[in-house]
């Protein structure tokens, strides 16, 4: 445990063993499950942790309050990495009241069969603990329908909002640690998990506008104190789908011909003045990193071979993932190759016409078997066209 401020303590845990978050997103640096304890006249626990870590978790709690009972458990978000220990907490503290909204309790009964000992709150309701008064703000669809945040004065318990991947290596509060590794992991976390819900995030930010914040206590990653303005600004920017000038080039390749075309496009864009260029082989790099950079940069060029008279599988998957994020304000160019039956170029265009709705840039390039002087010149023209549009 660690004191955050006043009578508020961190009692969370680190998971350094899980390789994929939600079975989807790589965790090269692990992840933290953050929970907080307010040691007031009434003791209040804010969110819990994944159930596998309950032994550590209860030790952290008892280090703060000893044998005192917990009066309230506030559940800001019902995903099991935060709600998974509810049933065990109730066994340790049978008289605890669980605080949440109507949708919280519907999910709690479904996940854990618990429907008693609850205190329902609505948007704007408050709960006095003694020195601290909690104020509840409902923030639906950031990023589940039951999500809410809790204010204790100038301390915001934000649930998954403002969180990021990465375990906490000793320090808990941002000013105690080097946060360099967390910034891109925040973008990857947001873009892959919350990214579809830009409008609800904007609605939540508006509800909190004007509230003085000294600490943001998210359920993953550091407690934000020194960098609050930067963190809120990042969420505001990402939820508006604002980007910086730059280009993501991602491609599929079987025998290197499509990859060589991607290299030609990247060189032409660079020579035309684009400095921020990142390139990814869609079969080698986990798509969460590609999606992260699509959220960062305005330009996207994709290319892939035809495979079994359809689009190369990994590119088809990536375009499907991107279409599910409802990303806006982007530019798209594309190219493709084939050996004996052309399909890739038309399939990428179909994805854009029907789902992505990005602004097309340049002329698509279709390569039969391998680059020729003519198709190389077309690739260079596509790179220059994207540079001009950026």
């Amino acid at each position: 445990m660690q004191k955050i401020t006043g009578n508020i303590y961190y009692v969370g845990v680190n998971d350094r063993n899980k390789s994929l978050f939600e079975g989807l997103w790589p965790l090269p640096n692990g992840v933290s499950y953050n929970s907080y304890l307010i040691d007031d006249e009434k003791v209040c626990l804010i969110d819990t942790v994944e159930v596998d870590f309950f032994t550590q978790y209860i030790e952290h709690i008892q280090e703060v309050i000893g044998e005192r009972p917990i009066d309230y458990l506030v559940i800001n978000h019902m995903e099991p990495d935060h709600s998974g220990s509810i049933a065990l907490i109730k066994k340790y503290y049978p008289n605890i009241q669980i605080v949440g909204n109507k949708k919280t309790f519907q999910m709690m009964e479904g996940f854990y069969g618990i429907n008693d000992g609850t205190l329902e709150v609505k948007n704007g309701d408050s709960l006095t603990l003694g020195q601290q008064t909690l104020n509840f703000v409902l923030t639906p669809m950031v990023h589940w329908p039951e999500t809410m945040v809790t204010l204790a004065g100038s301390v915001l318990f934000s649930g998954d909002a403002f969180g990021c991947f990465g375990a906490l290596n000793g320090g808990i509060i941002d000013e105690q640690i080097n946060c360099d590794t967390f910034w891109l992991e925040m973008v990857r976390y947001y873009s892959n998990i919350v990214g579809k819900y830009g409008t609800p995030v904007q609605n939540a930010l508006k509800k909190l506008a004007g509230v003085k914040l000294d600490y943001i206590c998210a359920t993953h990653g550091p407690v934000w104190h020194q960098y609050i303005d930067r963190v809120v600004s990042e969420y505001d920017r990402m939820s508006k789908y604002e980007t910086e000038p730059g280009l993501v080039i991602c491609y599929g390749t079987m025998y290197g011909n499509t990859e060589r075309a991607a290299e030609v496009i990247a060189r032409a864009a660079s020579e035309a003045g684009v400095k921020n260029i990142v390139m990814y082989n869609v079969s080698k790099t986990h798509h969460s990193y590609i999606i992260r950079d699509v959220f960062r940069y305005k330009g996207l060029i994709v290319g892939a071979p035809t495979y079994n008279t359809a689009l190369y599988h990994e590119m088809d998957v990536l375009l499907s993932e991107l279409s599910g994020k409802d990303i806006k304000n982007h530019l798209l160019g594309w190219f493709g190759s084939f050996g004996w039956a052309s399909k890739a170029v038309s399939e990428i265009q179909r994805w854009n016409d029907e789902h992505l709705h990005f602004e097309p840039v340049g002329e698509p390039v279709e390569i039969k078997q391998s680059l020729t002087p003519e198709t190389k010149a077309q690739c260079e023209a596509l790179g220059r066209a994207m540079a001009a549009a950026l």
Side-chain angles (χ1 to χ4, degrees):
M1 73 79 189
Q2 178 175 329
K3 178 180 282 193
I4 303 298
T5 183
N7 58 4
I8 299 173
Y9 295 83
Y10 177 90
V11 290
V13 299
N14 286 302
D15 185 347
R16 304 182 193 278
N17 299 313
K18 184 174 291 179
S19 59
L20 291 175
F21 187 77
E22 299 181 338
L24 292 168
W25 321 117
L27 294 172
N29 302 314
V31 68
S32 67
Y33 308 122
N34 299 344
S35 175
Y36 304 92
L37 190 67
I38 304 176
D39 184 14
D40 209 324
E41 293 173 23
K42 298 286 188 179
V43 176
C44 182
L45 189 62
I46 310 288
D47 293 306
T48 72
V49 303
E50 192 167 272
V51 69
D52 292 351
F53 296 86
F54 187 78
T55 299
Q56 296 176 39
Y57 181 48
I58 198 69
E59 289 175 358
H60 293 172
I61 290 170
Q62 292 178 344
E63 187 178 347
V64 179
I65 61 172
E67 297 303 315
R68 288 184 65 194
I70 298 177
D71 298 284
Y72 299 108
L73 166 59
V74 173
I75 298 295
N76 288 312
H77 184 27
M78 271 299 300
E79 275 193 284
D81 55 333
H82 308 302
S83 67
S85 292
I86 290 176
L88 289 175
I89 284 289
K90 275 184 67 70
K91 289 188 175 183
Y92 268 78
Y93 304 101
N95 296 320
I96 197 169
Q97 281 194 288
I98 301 174
V99 182
N101 59 71
K102 184 177 181 180
K103 291 181 179 178
T104 305
F105 299 139
Q106 292 170 353
M107 290 186 178
M108 188 169 69
E109 183 169 13
F111 276 119
Y112 309 115
I114 297 171
N115 56 16
D116 63 325
T118 60
L119 175 61
E120 182 181 335
V121 293
K122 297 180 175 63
N123 188 64
D125 284 355
S126 61
L127 175 66
T128 298
L129 305 178
Q131 300 175 38
Q132 298 278 7
T133 296
L134 304 182
N135 293 284
F136 304 101
V137 180
L138 271 58
T139 57
M141 296 316 304
V142 184
H143 51 118
W144 275 28
E146 88 301 350
T147 52
M148 67 182 196
V149 300
T150 301
L151 282 159
S154 60
V155 178
L156 174 67
F157 301 99
S158 62
D160 273 352
F162 310 114
C164 59
F165 296 129
L168 299 173
N169 300 326
I172 306 297
I173 304 173
D174 58 6
E175 64 188 1
Q176 303 168 335
I177 58 182
N178 185 332
C179 290
D180 290 350
T181 61
F182 288 108
W183 298 117
L184 283 180
E185 286 294 73
M186 173 178 280
V187 178
R188 189 165 69 94
Y189 179 89
Y190 177 92
S191 59
N192 286 278
I193 295 176
V194 188
K196 181 181 177 68
Y197 304 104
T199 298
V201 171
Q202 280 292 304
N203 292 337
L205 291 173
K206 289 173 184 174
K207 286 184 178 181
L208 295 170
V211 176
K212 181 181 183 296
L213 297 178
D214 289 325
Y215 294 88
I216 295 178
C217 298
T219 46
H220 298 293
V223 171
W224 301 112
H225 177 56
Q226 179 180 355
Y227 293 114
I228 283 179
D229 289 345
R230 178 174 176 177
V231 168
V232 174
S233 177
E234 279 288 293
Y235 259 65
D236 184 45
R237 178 188 63 78
M238 291 187 291
S239 60
K240 291 177 179 175
Y241 302 98
E242 293 178 351
T243 56
E244 56 185 292
L247 173 60
V248 179
I249 301 174
C250 51
Y251 61 88
T253 193
M254 290 186 286
Y255 304 112
N257 292 299
T258 316
E259 183 175 55
R260 283 191 284 274
E263 295 283 4
V264 171
I265 293 168
R267 173 69 64 174
S270 175
E271 289 175 346
V274 182
K275 291 185 177 180
N276 293 324
I277 300 176
V278 289
M279 296 185 67
Y280 292 111
N281 182 328
V282 293
S283 297
K284 182 178 180 181
T285 300
H286 193 275
H287 292 181
S288 66
Y289 295 93
I290 302 173
I291 294 169
R292 175 198 70 187
D293 284 345
V294 171
F295 263 75
R296 295 172 67 202
Y297 296 128
K298 189 175 184 66
L300 173 64
I301 295 178
V302 299
T306 298
Y307 193 86
N308 282 342
T309 67
L311 182 60
Y312 187 71
H313 173 75
E314 286 300 313
M315 180 58 70
D316 201 53
V317 171
L318 175 65
L319 295 177
S320 175
E321 291 168 340
L322 288 172
S323 71
K325 304 300 180 187
D326 199 24
I327 301 170
K328 300 174 178 63
N329 307 320
H330 276 63
L331 307 173
L332 178 68
W334 62 94
F335 63 103
S337 63
F338 67 98
W340 47 270
S342 172
K343 195 65 175 180
V345 167
S346 62
E347 276 297 289
I348 294 171
Q349 179 163 349
R350 183 187 65 80
W351 269 111
N352 193 47
D353 290 345
E354 297 180 5
H355 302 287
L356 295 172
H357 308 299
F358 292 173
E359 181 182 339
V361 171
E363 291 295 325
V365 182
E366 190 166 54
I367 301 158
K368 183 175 181 179
Q369 288 146 10
S370 64
L371 276 174
T372 65
E374 181 182 4
T375 51
K376 180 181 179 183
Q378 292 171 0
C379 288
E380 291 171 338
L382 178 57
R384 289 193 295 268
M386 181 59 77
L390 289 172

